[in-house]
Amino acid sequence: MTKFTSFLLIAICAFLCNSAQATSTGKELLQGEARELAWYDCPANSEAKRRRPRRFAHCRCMQGFERDEEREACFRTVYLTVNNLSYMQPFSPFLVVVHNHYAPKLFVPGMPGPEGLGAIAEAGNTTMLEHVYSMDDNVLESFVGTNVPANANGTIEIRMNSDYPLVTIAAMCVNSNDCFVALNGAPIYNGAMYYEPAWDAGTEMNNELCTHVPGPACAAGTGNARTEMGEGFVHVHRGFQGINVGRTDLTEDELGANGEPLGSMYDWRNPIMLVSMSDAMM
Ligand SMILES: *[C@@H]1O[C@H](CO)[C@@H](O)[C@H](O)[C@H]1NC(C)=O
Ligand SMILES: *[C@@H]1O[C@H](CO)[C@@H](O)[C@H](O)[C@H]1NC(C)=O
Ligand SMILES: *[C@@H]1O[C@H](CO)[C@@H](O)[C@H](O)[C@H]1NC(C)=O
């Protein structure tokens, strides 16, 4: 064999051997994909009943979790008990969202809130944000929870699993311009206790006039207009300071239901709300 022929053979082999290798890698990949498709990984908080489950039907939910055939998933029920800790600030019905870490935050302190936060904080109107969250793939459920009755604890029932471990809730303090209470993506676990401050949505100036406050401190029909000049960012609420006490130039609609300017009895100190979580109804 000449030097040239052996060089030629080596060159041909190098080419063929390489491409053969490439083909076999390709085949393995395809087989691998096919294998994965045949497998059905049991979803969060469940385990396989058989060695090779092909469907959710062959998975079993872990203790304390219930099957949801429609969503092919296992969920746990958790009860949130909301305590209103204030003297004279009732809460409006709550926006309730169960979600994962990718869902947008309800708010970032120091930044403007999303569109729709003002509606909750100024009027207790959850419609817009409830809709926005219900359209989001990172959200398990989004609904409007029960009102927290005066002088009692309100209980909100939610579903969760380890794919959706966080909850956001929000409601208005109704004797205010734009005060709200919230859990802002709180981890859900049995025994959790969250003491929360009141927040100012930053969408309305705190003029403390009944023409701009919807709550029972004001007579029905006095209106709930939005003031100009909101602060522009979410911050810890400065409280209800009774800034109009002593004024004699207020219109009838601007006065409280008792005919006086709204006073500092509607004020509070933080925390204003306690949320306790439990696996069992309390
Ligand atoms: C609440 O907000 C929605 C949408 O933002 C609006 O269409 C609706 O009229 C509001 N509800 C009330 C009672 O004002
Ligand atoms: C909650 O709000 C109401 C006003 O509706 C108030 O009377 C009550 O004292 C507050 N606190 C508790 C613990 O319910
Ligand atoms: C509300 O819940 C707290 C703590 O769970 C409890 O101490 C309090 O008695 C409850 N209040 C009412 C009126 O049920």
Side-chain angles (χ1 to χ4, degrees):
M1 229 193 294
T2 65
K3 257 191 190 164
F4 177 71
T5 347
S6 49
F7 171 77
L8 204 64
L9 279 177
I10 289 168
I12 289 170
C13 174
F15 176 75
L16 284 180
C17 297
N18 259 341
S19 54
Q21 221 174 359
T23 320
S24 90
T25 319
K27 236 188 206 162
E28 271 166 24
L29 246 177
L30 281 178
Q31 277 168 354
E33 275 169 15
R35 253 204 311 277
E36 264 171 41
L37 286 178
W39 270 91
Y40 182 97
D41 282 329
C42 284
N45 306 111
S46 66
E47 57 195 0
K49 265 197 284 197
R50 316 189 333 179
R51 241 185 101 235
R52 289 184 166 217
R54 286 214 168 66
R55 293 191 313 271
F56 181 58
H58 300 124
C59 304
R60 126 179 84 207
C61 291
M62 284 157 67
Q63 212 186 342
F65 288 80
E66 290 142 43
R67 294 178 78 81
D68 182 333
E69 295 291 342
E70 209 174 306
R71 298 187 68 122
E72 298 213 335
C74 300
F75 295 107
R76 186 156 66 95
T77 300
V78 176
Y79 300 92
L80 309 188
T81 298
V82 179
N83 287 5
N84 161 3
L85 306 177
S86 78
Y87 176 49
M88 294 272 254
Q89 282 293 344
F91 302 150
S92 63
F94 277 81
L95 169 72
V96 183
V97 187
V98 178
H99 56 89
N100 63 25
H101 287 91
Y102 300 105
K105 282 246 170 203
L106 178 67
F107 66 95
V108 178
M111 302 287 287
E115 214 194 329
L117 184 62
I120 293 180
E122 294 170 30
N125 186 341
T126 51
T127 306
M128 181 183 283
L129 278 180
E130 197 275 325
H131 179 72
V132 167
Y133 276 116
S134 66
M135 293 285 127
D136 196 308
D137 284 345
N138 299 302
V139 169
L140 171 64
E141 55 183 11
S142 164
F143 61 95
V144 179
T146 48
N147 204 347
V148 178
N151 300 310
N153 300 321
T155 299
I156 300 169
E157 188 178 320
I158 57 171
R159 296 199 310 163
M160 61 85 67
N161 65 21
S162 54
D163 284 342
Y164 300 97
L166 305 176
V167 66
T168 289
I169 70 174
M172 179 186 191
C173 321
V174 294
N175 285 330
S176 79
N177 286 93
D178 62 338
C179 169
F180 70 102
V181 291
L183 287 181
N184 193 11
I188 304 165
Y189 61 94
N190 187 29
M193 290 179 86
Y194 293 103
Y195 285 91
E196 296 296 326
W199 297 94
D200 188 308
T203 52
E204 199 181 344
M205 187 174 72
N206 298 340
N207 66 1
E208 301 183 359
L209 295 173
C210 274
T211 41
H212 302 78
V213 169
C218 300
T222 52
N224 182 25
R226 168 179 278 194
T227 62
E228 301 296 313
M229 297 189 306
E231 301 86 348
F233 58 94
V234 178
H235 54 278
V236 170
H237 203 286
R238 290 155 288 168
F240 202 104
Q241 301 177 2
I243 55 174
N244 299 311
V245 172
R247 277 178 69 175
T248 52
D249 60 333
L250 299 186
T251 67
E252 206 175 310
D253 280 353
E254 288 172 334
L255 295 171
N258 61 0
E260 299 287 324
L262 298 182
S264 58
M265 73 265 226
Y266 301 108
D267 199 13
W268 65 90
R269 292 292 174 269
N270 289 325
I272 194 173
M273 173 176 76
L274 166 61
V275 182
S276 322
M277 300 186 182
S278 173
D279 277 352
M281 183 94 157
M282 287 195 285

